[in-house]
Amino acid sequence: FVGELLAAFSPGETVEFYDLSQFDTGVIWRGSLDLRNTAYPAESAAIVDGYGYIALGEGGLSQIDLQAQSSQTPVDADPIYALLLLNNTLFAAGNKLTVWDVTIPEFPVALSTLPLTASARALDVASDGSLYISMENGVTLAAWNGSTLTELGHLTTSPIDHATQIGTRAFLALHRGGLQVVDVANPGQPNALFTYVSSSGQFVQSLLAIDESTLLVSWDAGIDVLSIEGAEEPPHLLEILPTVGREAKGVSLSPDGSLAVLALGAEGVQIFDLSDPQHPIPVGFVDTPGEAYSTAIQESRLAVADGLCGLEVLNISDMAAITKDGHWRGGYLTSIVAAPSAFYAGGGAHLFGLQFDAALPFSSPVISQNPFPLNGATEVPLDIVLDWGPTPDPCSPVAYEVYLGAIQEPPFVGQVNDRPALDVGQLAPSRTYYWHVDTLDDQGARTIGPEWSFTTVSGFFPNGLPPAPPVFIDRIRQNPVIPLGMVVTLLVAAGIGAMTLRMRRIAGEEPSIPGWYSTEPDEEDSPQE
Protein backbone atom coordinates (compact mmCIF):
# COMPACT_ATOMS: atom_id res chain seq x y z
CA PHE A 1 0.00 0.00 0.00
CA VAL A 2 1.25 3.44 -0.97
CA GLY A 3 -0.96 5.99 0.68
CA GLU A 4 -4.48 5.07 -0.38
CA LEU A 5 -3.32 3.09 -3.40
CA LEU A 6 -2.39 -0.56 -3.75
CA ALA A 7 0.89 -1.00 -5.65
CA ALA A 8 1.17 -4.35 -7.43
CA PHE A 9 4.84 -4.84 -8.20
CA SER A 10 6.13 -7.17 -10.93
CA PRO A 11 9.94 -7.31 -10.55
CA GLY A 12 11.71 -6.08 -13.64
CA GLU A 13 8.46 -5.13 -15.43
CA THR A 14 5.86 -2.69 -14.08
CA VAL A 15 4.23 -1.33 -10.95
CA GLU A 16 0.43 -1.12 -11.28
CA PHE A 17 -1.56 1.22 -8.97
CA TYR A 18 -5.12 0.46 -7.86
CA ASP A 19 -7.68 2.49 -5.88
CA LEU A 20 -9.54 0.36 -3.33
CA SER A 21 -11.65 3.12 -1.81
CA GLN A 22 -14.73 1.75 -3.63
CA PHE A 23 -13.84 -1.92 -3.19
CA ASP A 24 -17.48 -2.99 -2.86
CA THR A 25 -18.29 -1.77 -6.38
CA GLY A 26 -14.95 -2.41 -8.02
CA VAL A 27 -11.20 -1.81 -8.09
CA ILE A 28 -10.13 1.31 -9.98
CA TRP A 29 -6.86 1.29 -11.93
CA ARG A 30 -4.90 4.51 -11.37
CA GLY A 31 -1.85 4.03 -13.61
CA SER A 32 1.48 2.16 -13.83
CA LEU A 33 5.20 2.64 -13.73
CA ASP A 34 7.20 0.93 -16.49
CA LEU A 35 10.47 -0.56 -15.21
CA ARG A 36 11.42 -2.60 -18.26
CA ASN A 37 13.74 0.04 -19.71
CA THR A 38 15.93 0.43 -16.61
CA ALA A 39 19.63 -0.40 -16.91
CA TYR A 40 19.33 -2.82 -13.96
CA PRO A 41 16.35 -5.06 -13.09
CA ALA A 42 14.23 -3.42 -10.40
CA GLU A 43 14.10 -5.19 -7.04
CA SER A 44 11.62 -2.96 -5.19
CA ALA A 45 9.78 0.34 -5.55
CA ALA A 46 8.09 3.01 -3.41
CA ILE A 47 5.87 5.97 -4.45
CA VAL A 48 5.82 9.36 -2.68
CA ASP A 49 3.55 12.12 -3.99
CA GLY A 50 4.13 11.41 -7.65
CA TYR A 51 7.74 10.43 -7.29
CA GLY A 52 8.94 6.85 -7.55
CA TYR A 53 11.97 5.40 -5.80
CA ILE A 54 13.33 2.25 -7.36
CA ALA A 55 15.80 -0.26 -5.84
CA LEU A 56 17.94 -1.46 -8.74
CA GLY A 57 20.10 -3.97 -6.87
CA GLU A 58 23.69 -3.43 -7.99
CA GLY A 59 22.49 -0.29 -9.77
CA GLY A 60 21.73 1.43 -6.46
CA LEU A 61 18.73 3.69 -5.72
CA SER A 62 17.08 5.88 -8.39
CA GLN A 63 14.24 8.40 -8.49
CA ILE A 64 11.61 9.02 -11.22
CA ASP A 65 9.15 11.87 -11.59
CA LEU A 66 6.00 9.90 -12.44
CA GLN A 67 4.00 12.84 -13.72
CA ALA A 68 6.71 14.02 -16.08
CA GLN A 69 7.80 10.42 -16.89
CA SER A 70 11.36 11.72 -16.75
CA SER A 71 14.44 9.54 -16.84
CA GLN A 72 15.89 8.09 -13.68
CA THR A 73 17.89 10.29 -11.33
CA PRO A 74 20.57 8.48 -9.26
CA VAL A 75 20.11 8.85 -5.50
CA ASP A 76 22.57 6.28 -4.02
CA ALA A 77 25.24 4.39 -5.98
CA ASP A 78 25.61 1.61 -3.37
CA PRO A 79 23.64 -1.61 -3.96
CA ILE A 80 20.00 -1.41 -2.82
CA TYR A 81 17.74 -4.47 -2.83
CA ALA A 82 14.73 -3.54 -0.66
CA LEU A 83 12.68 -0.41 0.15
CA LEU A 84 10.21 0.39 2.92
CA LEU A 85 8.22 3.65 3.11
CA LEU A 86 6.79 4.79 6.46
CA ASN A 87 5.04 8.18 6.18
CA ASN A 88 7.73 10.50 4.81
CA THR A 89 10.64 8.23 5.80
CA LEU A 90 12.17 5.88 3.25
CA PHE A 91 14.30 2.94 4.39
CA ALA A 92 16.66 1.48 1.77
CA ALA A 93 18.57 -1.75 2.44
CA GLY A 94 21.51 -3.21 0.52
CA ASN A 95 24.84 -3.91 2.17
CA LYS A 96 23.75 -1.25 4.64
CA LEU A 97 20.47 0.24 5.87
CA THR A 98 19.99 3.93 5.00
CA VAL A 99 17.20 6.22 6.19
CA TRP A 100 16.00 9.00 3.83
CA ASP A 101 13.77 11.95 4.60
CA VAL A 102 11.43 12.29 1.58
CA THR A 103 9.21 15.05 2.97
CA ILE A 104 10.20 16.89 -0.20
CA PRO A 105 10.21 13.83 -2.48
CA GLU A 106 12.22 15.41 -5.30
CA PHE A 107 15.02 16.21 -2.82
CA PRO A 108 15.60 13.17 -0.52
CA VAL A 109 17.94 13.73 2.44
CA ALA A 110 19.98 10.90 4.02
CA LEU A 111 19.49 10.84 7.81
CA SER A 112 21.27 7.78 9.17
CA THR A 113 23.09 4.59 8.12
CA LEU A 114 23.48 1.16 9.78
CA PRO A 115 26.05 -1.35 8.40
CA LEU A 116 24.74 -4.89 7.71
CA THR A 117 26.58 -8.20 7.91
CA ALA A 118 25.19 -9.46 4.58
CA SER A 119 23.12 -8.35 1.59
CA ALA A 120 19.50 -7.52 2.39
CA ARG A 121 16.60 -9.42 0.82
CA ALA A 122 13.58 -7.60 2.31
CA LEU A 123 12.48 -4.90 4.75
CA ASP A 124 9.47 -5.36 7.05
CA VAL A 125 8.06 -3.46 10.01
CA ALA A 126 6.80 -5.07 13.24
CA SER A 127 3.66 -4.07 15.11
CA ASP A 128 5.76 -2.03 17.56
CA GLY A 129 7.52 -0.15 14.76
CA SER A 130 10.74 -2.19 14.86
CA LEU A 131 12.45 -2.92 11.56
CA TYR A 132 13.27 -6.43 10.36
CA ILE A 133 16.02 -6.64 7.73
CA SER A 134 15.89 -10.07 6.10
CA MET A 135 19.36 -10.98 4.79
CA GLU A 136 21.39 -13.74 3.20
CA ASN A 137 22.71 -14.87 6.60
CA GLY A 138 19.68 -14.34 8.85
CA VAL A 139 17.75 -11.38 10.16
CA THR A 140 18.65 -8.15 11.97
CA LEU A 141 16.23 -6.29 14.24
CA ALA A 142 16.68 -2.50 14.31
CA ALA A 143 14.92 0.53 15.79
CA TRP A 144 14.45 4.03 14.36
CA ASN A 145 13.74 6.86 16.82
CA GLY A 146 13.37 9.61 14.22
CA SER A 147 17.04 10.55 14.13
CA THR A 148 19.17 7.45 14.83
CA LEU A 149 19.24 3.81 13.74
CA THR A 150 20.06 1.25 16.46
CA GLU A 151 20.62 -2.48 16.03
CA LEU A 152 18.63 -4.43 18.64
CA GLY A 153 19.65 -7.97 17.80
CA HIS A 154 20.74 -10.41 15.13
CA LEU A 155 19.86 -14.06 14.52
CA THR A 156 22.26 -16.01 12.32
CA THR A 157 20.46 -18.66 10.32
CA SER A 158 19.75 -19.51 6.68
CA PRO A 159 18.68 -16.84 4.13
CA ILE A 160 15.45 -15.04 5.10
CA ASP A 161 12.89 -13.68 2.59
CA HIS A 162 10.51 -11.83 4.98
CA ALA A 163 9.97 -11.33 8.70
CA THR A 164 7.41 -9.88 11.06
CA GLN A 165 6.69 -9.80 14.78
CA ILE A 166 3.66 -10.24 17.03
CA GLY A 167 4.21 -9.76 20.74
CA THR A 168 7.46 -11.46 21.71
CA ARG A 169 7.44 -13.83 18.72
CA ALA A 170 9.17 -13.15 15.43
CA PHE A 171 8.16 -15.10 12.32
CA LEU A 172 10.79 -15.63 9.63
CA ALA A 173 10.07 -16.82 6.08
CA LEU A 174 13.01 -19.14 5.35
CA HIS A 175 14.29 -18.88 1.78
CA ARG A 176 14.80 -22.65 1.68
CA GLY A 177 11.27 -23.37 2.90
CA GLY A 178 9.26 -23.21 6.12
CA LEU A 179 8.37 -20.58 8.70
CA GLN A 180 10.70 -20.23 11.68
CA VAL A 181 9.36 -18.97 15.02
CA VAL A 182 11.80 -17.03 17.21
CA ASP A 183 11.45 -15.68 20.74
CA VAL A 184 12.56 -12.04 20.85
CA ALA A 185 11.59 -11.17 24.42
CA ASN A 186 15.27 -10.25 24.73
CA PRO A 187 16.09 -8.79 21.29
CA GLY A 188 19.81 -8.92 22.02
CA GLN A 189 19.61 -12.71 22.40
CA PRO A 190 16.92 -14.06 20.05
CA ASN A 191 16.06 -17.71 20.66
CA ALA A 192 14.91 -19.88 17.73
CA LEU A 193 12.03 -22.09 18.95
CA PHE A 194 10.83 -24.25 16.05
CA THR A 195 10.07 -24.30 12.31
CA TYR A 196 6.50 -24.53 11.04
CA VAL A 197 5.57 -26.23 7.76
CA SER A 198 2.18 -26.27 6.07
CA SER A 199 0.11 -28.33 3.66
CA SER A 200 -0.48 -25.06 1.80
CA GLY A 201 3.02 -25.14 0.35
CA GLN A 202 6.71 -25.21 1.10
CA PHE A 203 7.78 -21.59 0.57
CA VAL A 204 6.40 -18.50 2.33
CA GLN A 205 5.61 -15.70 -0.14
CA SER A 206 4.60 -13.01 2.37
CA LEU A 207 3.56 -12.39 5.97
CA LEU A 208 0.84 -10.14 7.37
CA ALA A 209 0.06 -9.58 11.05
CA ILE A 210 -3.70 -8.90 11.32
CA ASP A 211 -3.66 -8.16 15.06
CA GLU A 212 -1.84 -9.18 18.22
CA SER A 213 -3.04 -12.80 17.93
CA THR A 214 -3.47 -13.55 14.21
CA LEU A 215 -0.94 -13.99 11.45
CA LEU A 216 -1.62 -14.52 7.74
CA VAL A 217 0.99 -16.60 5.94
CA SER A 218 0.90 -16.75 2.15
CA TRP A 219 2.41 -19.98 0.82
CA ASP A 220 2.97 -21.02 -2.77
CA ALA A 221 -0.31 -23.01 -2.76
CA GLY A 222 -2.58 -21.21 -0.29
CA ILE A 223 -2.91 -18.94 2.74
CA ASP A 224 -2.86 -20.04 6.39
CA VAL A 225 -4.51 -18.09 9.20
CA LEU A 226 -2.43 -18.79 12.31
CA SER A 227 -3.48 -18.04 15.87
CA ILE A 228 -0.63 -17.34 18.27
CA GLU A 229 -2.66 -16.83 21.44
CA GLY A 230 -1.47 -18.47 24.64
CA ALA A 231 2.19 -18.70 23.67
CA GLU A 232 4.05 -20.12 26.66
CA GLU A 233 7.38 -18.95 27.98
CA PRO A 234 10.08 -20.56 25.83
CA PRO A 235 12.74 -22.82 27.34
CA HIS A 236 16.00 -21.19 28.31
CA LEU A 237 19.43 -22.57 29.16
CA LEU A 238 20.08 -23.19 32.85
CA GLU A 239 23.35 -25.08 32.96
CA ILE A 240 25.79 -27.05 30.78
CA LEU A 241 27.18 -30.27 32.24
CA PRO A 242 30.24 -31.94 30.71
CA THR A 243 29.92 -35.68 30.12
CA VAL A 244 32.53 -38.42 30.06
CA GLY A 245 31.80 -39.13 26.38
CA ARG A 246 32.36 -37.24 23.17
CA GLU A 247 28.80 -37.55 21.85
CA ALA A 248 25.42 -38.31 23.42
CA LYS A 249 23.38 -40.78 21.34
CA GLY A 250 20.23 -40.51 23.46
CA VAL A 251 18.74 -39.45 26.79
CA SER A 252 16.01 -41.04 28.91
CA LEU A 253 14.29 -40.36 32.24
CA SER A 254 13.19 -42.69 35.00
CA PRO A 255 9.39 -43.01 35.39
CA ASP A 256 9.42 -40.77 38.47
CA GLY A 257 11.74 -38.21 36.84
CA SER A 258 14.42 -38.57 39.49
CA LEU A 259 17.13 -39.89 37.13
CA ALA A 260 18.39 -39.03 33.66
CA VAL A 261 20.58 -41.39 31.63
CA LEU A 262 22.78 -40.41 28.70
CA ALA A 263 23.72 -43.04 26.13
CA LEU A 264 27.27 -42.13 25.07
CA GLY A 265 27.93 -44.65 22.31
CA ALA A 266 31.27 -46.44 22.68
CA GLU A 267 31.90 -44.65 26.02
CA GLY A 268 28.92 -46.37 27.72
CA VAL A 269 26.21 -44.65 29.80
CA GLN A 270 26.24 -41.87 32.39
CA ILE A 271 23.56 -41.37 35.05
CA PHE A 272 22.45 -38.04 36.57
CA ASP A 273 20.47 -37.34 39.74
CA LEU A 274 17.58 -34.91 39.06
CA SER A 275 16.57 -34.26 42.67
CA ASP A 276 17.20 -30.62 41.79
CA PRO A 277 16.06 -30.53 38.13
CA GLN A 278 17.84 -27.23 37.51
CA HIS A 279 21.18 -28.65 38.64
CA PRO A 280 21.66 -32.33 37.63
CA ILE A 281 24.41 -34.20 39.48
CA PRO A 282 26.45 -37.06 37.89
CA VAL A 283 26.03 -40.14 40.11
CA GLY A 284 27.05 -43.15 38.02
CA PHE A 285 28.87 -44.40 34.94
CA VAL A 286 29.07 -47.79 33.22
CA ASP A 287 31.20 -48.68 30.21
CA THR A 288 29.13 -51.19 28.23
CA PRO A 289 30.88 -53.68 25.92
CA GLY A 290 29.13 -52.43 22.75
CA GLU A 291 27.95 -49.00 21.61
CA ALA A 292 25.15 -47.57 23.77
CA TYR A 293 22.48 -45.95 21.59
CA SER A 294 19.52 -45.58 23.97
CA THR A 295 18.40 -46.56 27.47
CA ALA A 296 15.24 -47.27 29.46
CA ILE A 297 14.64 -47.57 33.22
CA GLN A 298 12.30 -50.16 34.74
CA GLU A 299 12.19 -49.98 38.54
CA SER A 300 15.83 -50.46 39.66
CA ARG A 301 17.02 -51.84 36.32
CA LEU A 302 18.61 -49.91 33.50
CA ALA A 303 18.33 -51.49 30.04
CA VAL A 304 20.82 -50.39 27.37
CA ALA A 305 20.39 -50.90 23.62
CA ASP A 306 24.05 -51.72 23.01
CA GLY A 307 24.28 -51.95 19.23
CA LEU A 308 25.95 -55.15 18.02
CA CYS A 309 26.10 -56.46 21.61
CA GLY A 310 22.30 -56.50 21.92
CA LEU A 311 20.81 -55.71 25.33
CA GLU A 312 22.61 -55.01 28.61
CA VAL A 313 20.62 -54.98 31.89
CA LEU A 314 22.20 -53.16 34.86
CA ASN A 315 21.11 -53.00 38.48
CA ILE A 316 21.23 -49.33 39.58
CA SER A 317 19.71 -49.70 43.06
CA ASP A 318 23.12 -48.72 44.46
CA MET A 319 24.81 -46.04 42.34
CA ALA A 320 28.10 -46.57 44.15
CA ALA A 321 28.18 -50.24 43.07
CA ILE A 322 26.30 -50.71 39.80
CA THR A 323 26.17 -54.40 38.87
CA LYS A 324 25.08 -56.35 35.82
CA ASP A 325 21.82 -58.32 36.04
CA GLY A 326 21.92 -59.93 32.62
CA HIS A 327 22.21 -59.53 28.87
CA TRP A 328 20.65 -60.65 25.56
CA ARG A 329 22.69 -61.26 22.42
CA GLY A 330 19.89 -62.04 19.96
CA GLY A 331 20.13 -59.04 17.65
CA TYR A 332 21.37 -55.55 16.80
CA LEU A 333 19.62 -52.92 18.97
CA THR A 334 19.60 -49.12 18.71
CA SER A 335 16.42 -48.13 20.59
CA ILE A 336 14.54 -49.39 23.63
CA VAL A 337 11.51 -48.51 25.79
CA ALA A 338 10.35 -49.98 29.10
CA ALA A 339 6.86 -51.37 29.68
CA PRO A 340 5.50 -52.50 33.09
CA SER A 341 6.56 -56.13 32.52
CA ALA A 342 8.83 -56.11 29.45
CA PHE A 343 11.32 -54.21 27.35
CA TYR A 344 10.67 -53.44 23.69
CA ALA A 345 13.80 -52.99 21.63
CA GLY A 346 14.39 -52.32 17.96
CA GLY A 347 17.26 -52.35 15.53
CA GLY A 348 17.65 -52.95 11.83
CA ALA A 349 14.32 -54.34 10.60
CA HIS A 350 13.18 -56.08 13.81
CA LEU A 351 11.23 -55.27 16.97
CA PHE A 352 11.86 -57.49 19.98
CA GLY A 353 9.74 -57.92 23.09
CA LEU A 354 11.94 -59.09 25.99
CA GLN A 355 10.99 -60.14 29.50
CA PHE A 356 13.45 -60.19 32.38
CA ASP A 357 13.21 -63.02 34.93
CA ALA A 358 15.42 -62.35 37.95
CA ALA A 359 14.86 -65.91 39.22
CA LEU A 360 16.77 -67.46 36.34
CA PRO A 361 20.41 -68.30 37.17
CA PHE A 362 23.29 -66.61 35.47
CA SER A 363 25.00 -68.51 32.68
CA SER A 364 28.49 -69.60 33.69
CA PRO A 365 31.48 -68.11 31.87
CA VAL A 366 33.20 -70.30 29.29
CA ILE A 367 35.66 -72.90 30.62
CA SER A 368 39.33 -72.56 29.66
CA GLN A 369 40.61 -75.16 27.16
CA ASN A 370 43.23 -75.92 24.47
CA PRO A 371 46.28 -75.25 26.69
CA PHE A 372 49.74 -74.49 25.42
CA PRO A 373 52.01 -76.21 26.36
CA LEU A 374 49.85 -79.28 25.85
CA ASN A 375 48.85 -81.16 28.97
CA GLY A 376 51.66 -83.60 29.86
CA ALA A 377 54.17 -82.02 27.46
CA THR A 378 57.90 -82.55 28.14
CA GLU A 379 61.09 -80.75 27.14
CA VAL A 380 59.25 -77.43 27.46
CA PRO A 381 61.57 -74.37 27.15
CA LEU A 382 62.18 -72.38 30.30
CA ASP A 383 60.91 -69.05 28.83
CA ILE A 384 57.49 -70.32 27.73
CA VAL A 385 54.39 -68.07 27.39
CA LEU A 386 51.25 -69.82 28.64
CA ASP A 387 48.34 -69.72 26.19
CA TRP A 388 44.81 -71.15 26.22
CA GLY A 389 41.41 -70.79 24.59
CA PRO A 390 38.82 -69.96 23.49
CA THR A 391 39.18 -66.39 22.16
CA PRO A 392 36.93 -64.18 24.33
CA ASP A 393 33.72 -62.68 22.91
CA PRO A 394 34.10 -58.85 22.75
CA CYS A 395 30.44 -58.51 23.85
CA SER A 396 31.00 -60.75 26.90
CA PRO A 397 34.24 -59.55 28.50
CA VAL A 398 35.91 -61.92 30.97
CA ALA A 399 38.95 -61.90 33.23
CA TYR A 400 41.40 -64.81 33.57
CA GLU A 401 43.10 -65.79 36.83
CA VAL A 402 46.20 -67.93 36.23
CA TYR A 403 47.58 -70.40 38.83
CA LEU A 404 51.04 -71.96 38.28
CA GLY A 405 53.56 -73.84 40.41
CA ALA A 406 55.55 -77.04 40.95
CA ILE A 407 52.91 -78.41 43.35
CA GLN A 408 49.52 -80.05 42.81
CA GLU A 409 47.58 -76.98 44.03
CA PRO A 410 49.56 -74.17 42.37
CA PRO A 411 49.47 -70.58 43.67
CA PHE A 412 47.97 -67.55 41.89
CA VAL A 413 50.51 -65.85 39.59
CA GLY A 414 48.56 -63.22 37.64
CA GLN A 415 45.35 -61.96 35.99
CA VAL A 416 44.79 -60.90 32.37
CA ASN A 417 41.77 -59.20 30.79
CA ASP A 418 42.69 -58.61 27.18
CA ARG A 419 43.75 -61.97 25.68
CA PRO A 420 44.15 -65.54 26.99
CA ALA A 421 47.92 -65.58 27.40
CA LEU A 422 50.44 -64.86 30.16
CA ASP A 423 54.24 -64.56 30.18
CA VAL A 424 55.33 -66.22 33.45
CA GLY A 425 59.04 -65.41 33.14
CA GLN A 426 62.00 -67.84 33.48
CA LEU A 427 61.18 -71.31 34.79
CA ALA A 428 63.48 -73.80 36.49
CA PRO A 429 64.90 -76.76 34.49
CA SER A 430 63.87 -80.39 34.99
CA ARG A 431 60.69 -79.56 36.85
CA THR A 432 57.06 -80.54 36.46
CA TYR A 433 54.72 -77.55 36.66
CA TYR A 434 50.98 -77.65 37.33
CA TRP A 435 48.63 -74.88 36.19
CA HIS A 436 45.00 -73.98 35.58
CA VAL A 437 43.04 -70.89 34.50
CA ASP A 438 39.79 -69.65 36.16
CA THR A 439 37.38 -67.50 34.10
CA LEU A 440 35.40 -64.63 35.69
CA ASP A 441 32.62 -62.75 33.83
CA ASP A 442 31.27 -59.24 34.43
CA GLN A 443 28.42 -60.63 36.54
CA GLY A 444 30.84 -62.05 39.11
CA ALA A 445 30.41 -65.71 38.11
CA ARG A 446 33.51 -67.93 38.13
CA THR A 447 34.39 -71.10 36.21
CA ILE A 448 37.36 -73.10 37.56
CA GLY A 449 39.44 -74.50 34.75
CA PRO A 450 40.92 -78.03 34.54
CA GLU A 451 44.43 -78.68 35.87
CA TRP A 452 47.21 -79.17 33.34
CA SER A 453 50.92 -79.99 33.68
CA PHE A 454 54.17 -79.90 31.71
CA THR A 455 57.85 -80.66 32.35
CA THR A 456 60.69 -78.29 31.48
CA VAL A 457 63.98 -79.21 29.75
CA SER A 458 66.88 -80.61 31.85
CA GLY A 459 69.19 -77.65 31.14
CA PHE A 460 69.34 -74.45 29.20
CA PHE A 461 72.61 -73.28 27.56
CA PRO A 462 72.26 -70.18 25.39
CA ASN A 463 75.48 -70.93 23.37
CA GLY A 464 74.89 -74.65 22.96
CA LEU A 465 77.85 -75.50 25.34
CA PRO A 466 77.86 -76.08 29.10
CA PRO A 467 79.63 -73.41 31.17
CA ALA A 468 83.40 -73.90 31.95
CA PRO A 469 83.66 -74.71 35.66
CA PRO A 470 87.33 -73.52 36.38
CA VAL A 471 87.32 -69.98 37.64
CA PHE A 472 90.68 -69.20 35.97
CA ILE A 473 89.45 -70.19 32.49
CA ASP A 474 86.21 -68.35 33.04
CA ARG A 475 88.22 -65.22 33.95
CA ILE A 476 90.24 -65.62 30.75
CA ARG A 477 87.07 -65.90 28.68
CA GLN A 478 85.60 -62.82 30.29
CA ASN A 479 88.86 -60.76 29.94
CA PRO A 480 90.84 -61.39 26.70
CA VAL A 481 93.68 -59.09 27.92
CA ILE A 482 94.95 -61.84 30.27
CA PRO A 483 95.93 -64.44 27.62
CA LEU A 484 97.34 -61.71 25.41
CA GLY A 485 99.58 -60.50 28.24
CA MET A 486 100.79 -64.02 28.96
CA VAL A 487 101.78 -64.61 25.33
CA VAL A 488 103.65 -61.31 25.18
CA THR A 489 105.52 -62.14 28.43
CA LEU A 490 106.63 -65.55 27.14
CA LEU A 491 107.82 -64.06 23.86
CA VAL A 492 109.86 -61.40 25.68
CA ALA A 493 111.48 -64.00 28.01
CA ALA A 494 112.42 -66.23 25.08
CA GLY A 495 113.94 -63.28 23.23
CA ILE A 496 116.06 -62.28 26.23
CA GLY A 497 117.35 -65.88 26.65
CA ALA A 498 118.32 -66.17 22.99
CA MET A 499 120.22 -62.88 23.05
CA THR A 500 122.18 -63.89 26.20
CA LEU A 501 123.29 -67.20 24.67
CA ARG A 502 124.41 -65.48 21.48
CA MET A 503 126.52 -62.92 23.39
CA ARG A 504 128.41 -65.63 25.35
CA ARG A 505 129.32 -67.52 22.22
CA ILE A 506 130.68 -64.36 20.65
CA ALA A 507 132.89 -63.77 23.77
CA GLY A 508 134.43 -67.34 23.51
CA GLU A 509 132.78 -68.60 26.62
CA GLU A 510 131.33 -72.02 26.64
CA PRO A 511 127.92 -72.14 27.78
CA SER A 512 127.66 -73.38 31.30
CA ILE A 513 126.52 -76.97 31.52
CA PRO A 514 124.92 -78.27 34.65
CA GLY A 515 126.97 -80.75 36.65
CA TRP A 516 124.37 -83.42 36.40
CA TYR A 517 124.59 -83.33 32.61
CA SER A 518 127.57 -84.78 30.53
CA THR A 519 128.07 -86.14 27.08
CA GLU A 520 131.02 -88.40 28.26
CA PRO A 521 130.57 -91.50 30.43
CA ASP A 522 131.91 -91.40 34.02
CA GLU A 523 135.06 -93.41 34.81
CA GLU A 524 133.31 -95.57 37.26
CA ASP A 525 130.73 -96.30 34.72
CA SER A 526 133.31 -97.32 32.05
CA PRO A 527 133.36 -101.03 31.19
CA GLN A 528 136.18 -102.91 32.80
CA GLU A 529 138.77 -104.49 30.63
Side-chain angles (χ1 to χ4, degrees):
F1 286 93
V2 180
E4 296 180 353
L5 299 180
L6 172 66
F9 178 69
S10 299
E13 297 182 3
T14 61
V15 180
E16 305 288 339
F17 299 99
Y18 301 92
D19 187 347
L20 306 182
S21 60
Q22 302 177 20
F23 187 75
D24 293 340
T25 59
V27 176
I28 304 172
W29 180 76
R30 294 298 187 186
S32 65
L33 174 62
D34 191 349
L35 303 176
R36 288 173 293 185
N37 296 324
T38 59
Y40 293 89
E43 304 280 349
S44 180
I47 310 300
V48 183
D49 295 337
Y51 284 86
Y53 290 91
I54 307 171
L56 297 174
E58 297 297 324
L61 178 64
S62 292
Q63 179 196 81
I64 296 178
D65 185 345
L66 300 179
Q67 298 178 0
Q69 290 292 312
S70 61
S71 59
Q72 298 180 33
T73 302
V75 177
D76 190 349
D78 290 337
I80 300 295
Y81 302 100
L83 298 176
L84 174 66
L85 181 65
L86 297 177
N87 299 322
N88 290 323
T89 304
L90 178 67
F91 299 89
N95 297 327
K96 61 183 179 180
L97 176 62
T98 304
V99 183
W100 298 86
D101 182 357
V102 291
T103 303
I104 305 176
E106 60 269 36
F107 300 111
V109 178
L111 301 178
S112 183
T113 300
L114 178 68
L116 301 178
T117 59
S119 298
R121 300 180 64 89
L123 274 172
D124 297 281
V125 60
S127 57
D128 63 355
S130 301
L131 299 174
Y132 276 89
I133 306 102
S134 301
M135 300 182 297
E136 295 292 339
N137 68 344
V139 63
T140 291
L141 178 61
W144 168 249
N145 63 5
S147 60
T148 305
L149 275 172
T150 304
E151 181 178 332
L152 302 179
H154 178 80
L155 177 65
T156 300
T157 180
S158 59
I160 304 298
D161 288 338
H162 286 284
T164 190
Q165 179 181 338
I166 299 179
T168 60
R169 297 288 191 273
F171 302 89
L172 314 181
L174 302 179
H175 182 68
R176 297 170 183 169
L179 179 69
Q180 189 173 43
V181 181
V182 180
D183 179 75
V184 290
N186 181 1
Q189 295 181 340
N191 182 22
L193 301 178
F194 61 91
T195 298
Y196 172 80
V197 294
S198 172
S199 58
S200 299
Q202 178 180 357
F203 300 98
V204 175
Q205 305 300 317
S206 60
L207 302 170
L208 180 61
I210 299 299
D211 52 35
E212 291 300 318
S213 63
T214 308
L215 176 68
L216 294 185
V217 184
S218 175
W219 302 82
D220 45 356
I223 297 177
D224 289 349
V225 181
L226 303 180
S227 173
I228 61 170
E229 287 184 322
E232 297 181 357
E233 189 69 21
H236 57 283
L237 183 65
L238 292 176
E239 187 175 359
I240 297 178
L241 294 178
T243 67
V244 296
R246 294 170 295 176
E247 178 184 8
K249 301 284 188 180
V251 61
S252 64
L253 298 177
S254 60
D256 59 1
S258 62
L259 297 175
V261 183
L262 283 180
L264 300 173
E267 282 82 10
V269 295
Q270 189 170 10
I271 306 172
F272 294 85
D273 183 357
L274 300 182
S275 300
D276 182 358
Q278 296 189 5
H279 301 287
I281 302 173
V283 292
F285 169 76
V286 178
D287 186 6
T288 58
E291 187 171 1
Y293 283 95
S294 62
T295 60
I297 296 178
Q298 183 188 77
E299 297 178 352
S300 61
R301 294 188 180 91
L302 171 64
V304 182
D306 212 29
L308 291 172
C309 291
L311 177 69
E312 293 287 311
V313 181
L314 307 172
N315 189 321
I316 57 173
S317 57
D318 182 3
M319 290 297 175
I322 298 176
T323 58
K324 181 176 177 178
D325 270 358
H327 64 258
W328 179 77
R329 300 285 183 254
Y332 176 76
L333 299 183
T334 58
S335 59
I336 187 169
V337 294
S341 60
F343 293 106
Y344 291 93
H350 297 86
L351 175 65
F352 303 95
L354 305 170
Q355 289 184 328
F356 182 84
D357 188 350
L360 293 176
F362 290 146
S363 59
S364 299
V366 64
I367 190 171
S368 55
Q369 53 189 285
N370 301 328
F372 178 81
L374 295 176
N375 187 28
T378 59
E379 299 297 317
V380 174
L382 304 183
D383 56 352
I384 190 68
V385 175
L386 301 180
D387 197 349
W388 60 94
T391 301
D393 181 358
C395 289
S396 298
V398 293
Y400 301 101
E401 289 186 353
V402 182
Y403 297 80
L404 172 70
I407 55 176
Q408 290 285 347
E409 295 183 0
F412 172 78
V413 293
Q415 177 176 309
V416 290
N417 300 312
D418 49 355
R419 68 185 186 94
L422 179 65
D423 187 350
V424 294
Q426 194 78 6
L427 300 178
S430 301
R431 292 218 184 154
T432 298
Y433 284 90
Y434 301 88
W435 66 296
H436 67 88
V437 179
D438 294 353
T439 309
L440 291 79
D441 64 13
D442 52 3
Q443 293 173 297
R446 175 190 292 268
T447 298
I448 299 177
E451 187 171 278
W452 303 308
S453 65
F454 61 87
T455 303
T456 57
V457 296
S458 57
F460 177 68
F461 310 121
N463 296 327
L465 295 174
V471 178
F472 179 72
I473 297 179
D474 187 61
R475 293 285 179 84
I476 291 177
R477 290 180 58 191
Q478 295 180 6
N479 192 351
V481 176
I482 295 176
L484 181 61
M486 294 174 62
V487 171
V488 172
T489 302
L490 291 175
L491 291 176
V492 171
I496 294 174
M499 291 179 63
T500 303
L501 181 60
R502 181 179 179 84
M503 293 297 293
R504 286 183 177 180
R505 287 180 176 176
I506 294 173
E509 297 180 4
E510 290 294 332
S512 59
I513 298 176
W516 51 265
Y517 177 80
S518 175
T519 58
E520 298 294 331
D522 293 339
E523 292 182 358
E524 59 184 25
D525 292 335
S526 299
Q528 295 182 358
E529 299 181 349

